[in-house]
Amino acid sequence: MDVFVVLSVVAGVGFLAVVRRFLLYPCRPSTWEYAFGSAYGKQRRALDAARRAKRRIEGSHREEAARAERRVDEISERGDRRRRELEKRRDDLLRERDGAALEPAVGRLWLHERVVLVLKETGEAEDGAAERGGPAEVEATLPLAGLVIDPYALQDNIFIRFSRPDGTRLSATFPRQRYKEADVHAFADRLHNQARKETAAHARRRQEADGITREIERTRADTEEKVLAAREAHEELVEAQREDERLLRADAAWEAACAEWRTTTGHRPVWWWRW
């Protein structure tokens, strides 16, 4: 390393050390002996001891207060996390799903675990085209929960009529030249049985979702109560710290050391200086 650089670094460090000294022990440059002379070592040591004692207690107080603040945040975050988990469970229960296909489509009707899909007319004469990659555009989705299935027959066609819980109806037609009445009625029975099953399952899901909603409200109330208690504990801690006898004695010792230094030098030390 270049000698000039080394000298520059040493000079810079020395300058900072001198500045630091004057900041810790303020005085005029012309009276440098206050900051450096051995005759005033006792006053400097008194300032150092008072500063360390006060800083140690205040540092301990800050750490305690920070822990109390973190406690508030942790309680709030834990409650929010639990509430989000419950809301996700409830949303999953209430989310509308078709469920797995239970059997190939019959005519325009495709039975799933939770719904009957009514496929659009395509002119296809073949059942089950949707499962084999054929046209499967959905005209209507009928949730099975609460759905009433009513098959009936006329001269040329067999029908399956669906009555929704809101009272609206929809019918699917099965021409006799393509479907046997017994087969259509058997399919209607399977629709009916799955509708009964899904109606019961839907009621259970709703009941479970309602229970989760109540638990969400309990979690919210419990979190708010605990957060309030934690905030009050933090405020009480800060108030107790203000009245801490150790801090009051340290403040008094610091003020006494500052008063003595000011009497000696005419300058009061700066507390916030951290060097």
Side-chain angles (χ1 to χ4, degrees):
M1 183 180 292
D2 188 86
V3 174
F4 177 75
V5 174
V6 173
L7 293 176
S8 297
V9 171
V10 171
V13 172
F15 175 76
L16 290 175
V18 171
V19 171
R20 175 181 183 275
R21 195 80 172 181
F22 277 108
L23 289 171
L24 285 173
Y25 314 112
C27 60
R28 293 190 301 276
S30 60
T31 57
W32 60 267
E33 64 272 14
Y34 291 134
F36 294 92
S38 58
Y40 300 96
K42 179 180 179 181
Q43 289 93 327
R44 292 197 298 272
R45 287 192 295 274
L47 276 176
D48 292 342
R51 183 182 283 112
R52 284 195 302 271
K54 179 176 169 64
R55 187 170 295 158
R56 183 172 59 252
I57 295 169
E58 289 186 342
S60 175
H61 283 179
R62 283 193 298 272
E63 290 177 2
E64 291 174 350
R67 282 197 297 271
E69 285 182 327
R70 286 196 298 272
R71 175 66 175 161
V72 174
D73 294 338
E74 288 168 0
I75 292 172
S76 179
E77 289 172 3
R78 186 164 58 248
D80 289 343
R81 186 165 56 251
R82 175 59 175 163
R83 192 161 60 248
R84 287 193 298 270
E85 291 171 354
L86 291 170
E87 288 171 348
K88 182 178 182 302
R89 279 176 52 195
R90 182 184 61 185
D91 293 345
D92 287 343
L93 283 169
L94 298 179
R95 185 172 293 113
E96 294 183 359
R97 295 187 175 95
D98 293 352
L102 297 182
E103 58 181 88
V106 178
R108 294 171 57 208
L109 302 181
W110 196 4
L111 177 61
H112 287 60
E113 288 178 319
R114 296 190 181 184
V115 301
V116 177
L117 300 181
V118 182
L119 307 180
K120 288 185 178 180
E121 288 279 10
T122 62
E124 292 282 341
E126 187 179 18
D127 289 342
E131 299 88 284
R132 294 193 295 275
E137 289 189 71
V138 177
E139 180 179 297
T141 299
L142 303 177
L144 285 170
L147 192 66
V148 176
I149 294 91
D150 181 25
Y152 63 97
L154 296 178
Q155 182 175 353
D156 296 326
N157 298 297
I158 310 151
F159 301 90
I160 296 180
R161 182 167 55 198
F162 300 97
S163 299
R164 301 182 181 95
D166 64 2
T168 59
R169 291 177 175 177
L170 183 148
S171 294
T173 304
F174 298 84
R176 287 185 179 275
Q177 63 267 29
R178 288 178 52 200
Y179 299 96
K180 295 179 181 179
E181 185 171 346
D183 292 340
V184 175
H185 279 269
F187 180 55
D189 288 342
R190 294 196 296 276
L191 291 170
H192 170 81
N193 292 338
Q194 185 61 27
R196 291 288 301 273
K197 181 179 178 180
E198 170 57 19
T199 298
H202 181 268
R204 289 193 298 270
R205 290 195 298 271
R206 287 294 323 180
Q207 185 176 16
E208 185 176 353
D210 291 343
I212 292 174
T213 297
R214 291 191 292 271
E215 188 173 354
I216 289 171
E217 293 305 316
R218 288 194 297 269
T219 298
R220 181 179 287 108
D222 182 63
T223 299
E224 290 175 354
E225 181 179 348
K226 288 180 178 178
V227 166
L228 179 60
R231 284 175 177 160
E232 290 177 350
H234 173 260
E235 293 172 0
E236 291 172 0
L237 173 64
V238 172
E239 185 62 30
Q241 288 175 343
R242 293 194 189 98
E243 304 299 325
D244 188 343
E245 291 292 337
R246 297 175 304 157
L247 181 60
L248 296 177
R249 289 194 296 270
D251 283 339
W254 167 251
E255 291 300 326
C258 288
E260 183 178 352
W261 186 263
R262 185 170 186 175
T263 299
T264 302
T265 67
H267 294 78
R268 176 182 170 85
V270 180
W271 161 247
W272 50 263
W273 189 252
R274 296 291 180 178
W275 282 8

